Amino acid sequence: MTLRILFTGEGTSDDGLVRHIEAIVARAGRTASVTSPDFSRLSNVAAHSVPDKLRVARKFGDDYDLIAIHRDADRAGVSERQEEIARAVASEWPDCPHIAVVPVRMLEAWLLLDEASIRQVAENPKGKIPLSLPQGTSVEKVADPKKLLKDSLAKASGYSGRRLDSFQKRFPQHRHKLLERLDPLGPVSLLPSWQTFVDELKAAVGTI
């Protein structure tokens, strides 16, 4: 049986996680079809919060075996985000199992560990400009991973002036590419937040 999984992120560039969800499910011996709706096109009413997104998705009447919900920990912390997600599911879709995908502090922290990919996506794979990226679990202590990733991509590109301005406007696309390229067996595999994501997804799949 192919598992039907609903994925909701904080933005469309989070869709890069879909392939990782499918791959983790495959390593657990199952197959999955992951739906990641573009909520900006599904509803005339802005759906920004988790309850709003679940409410909109449920209106379409599709059945899912599992819901995977991404929220950055930000300053709130992992536990508070997990509780927030649990409350939303209990309120809007209480009969469906779910997992919370909560990077520390932001999903961009997962992307900062792959310098080669950053240089590739920055369109300058052979660049030599030092990026001074964080290593290992220290990346989860970076106050603003999103800003650091954006700055690192700009530095790695070697661009300046208008070309740099144009490059930086494509940050959502760059972020999406980095997320798709993320090696699940690479440095990110040592991060507690990634390990929790993988373990909870495998555990949820095992109960369905």
Side-chain angles (χ1 to χ4, degrees):
M1 178 185 82
T2 297
L3 301 178
R4 297 198 62 194
I5 299 176
L6 171 67
F7 172 73
T8 74
E10 296 191 346
T12 55
S13 62
D14 292 338
D15 288 353
L17 272 177
V18 167
R19 66 180 294 271
H20 294 293
I21 293 173
E22 292 173 341
I24 292 166
V25 172
R27 290 197 294 273
R30 307 288 295 274
T31 58
S33 173
V34 182
T35 299
S36 179
D38 183 348
F39 291 97
S40 65
R41 298 187 178 187
L42 291 181
S43 175
N44 294 326
V45 180
H48 297 302
S49 70
V50 175
D52 287 346
K53 290 174 181 177
L54 294 178
R55 202 173 300 124
V56 170
R58 197 169 189 185
K59 283 182 181 178
F60 286 85
D62 293 330
D63 292 325
Y64 294 99
D65 300 298
L66 181 68
I67 302 171
I69 300 171
H70 160 237
R71 285 281 278 131
D72 286 336
D74 293 321
R75 295 183 182 277
V78 175
S79 296
E80 184 168 330
R81 288 298 186 220
Q82 291 172 333
E83 292 170 6
E84 171 191 323
I85 290 169
R87 288 195 301 269
V89 176
S91 171
E92 304 299 333
W93 216 318
D95 53 341
C96 191
H98 79 278
I99 66 163
V101 185
V102 186
V104 180
R105 302 180 179 229
M106 304 172 186
L107 188 146
E108 285 81 4
W110 290 353
L111 310 179
L112 284 166
L113 295 175
D114 191 340
E115 181 174 333
S117 286
I118 288 173
R119 292 188 185 278
Q120 187 74 41
V121 171
E123 303 168 359
N124 188 17
K126 295 182 180 180
K128 300 298 182 183
I129 299 172
L131 302 183
S132 302
L133 297 169
Q135 301 294 313
T137 57
S138 67
V139 77
E140 295 193 325
K141 298 178 182 178
V142 175
D144 192 344
K146 183 175 182 178
K147 183 179 186 303
L148 180 57
L149 180 62
K150 190 172 184 178
D151 291 347
S152 297
L153 282 163
K155 187 185 295 185
S157 73
Y159 295 147
S160 61
R162 291 182 179 179
R163 197 170 186 184
L164 177 59
D165 290 341
S166 175
F167 175 82
Q168 289 187 305
K169 289 176 182 177
R170 300 198 303 275
F171 178 70
Q173 292 94 321
H174 299 152
R175 180 183 181 279
H176 186 275
K177 286 181 182 178
L178 285 169
L179 187 51
E180 284 196 322
R181 292 170 60 94
L182 184 65
D183 180 1
L185 303 180
V188 74
S189 66
L190 301 178
L191 297 184
S193 58
W194 178 268
Q195 293 170 354
T196 298
F197 161 48
V198 173
D199 292 345
E200 291 189 355
L201 179 54
K202 286 182 177 179
V205 167
T207 65
I208 300 171

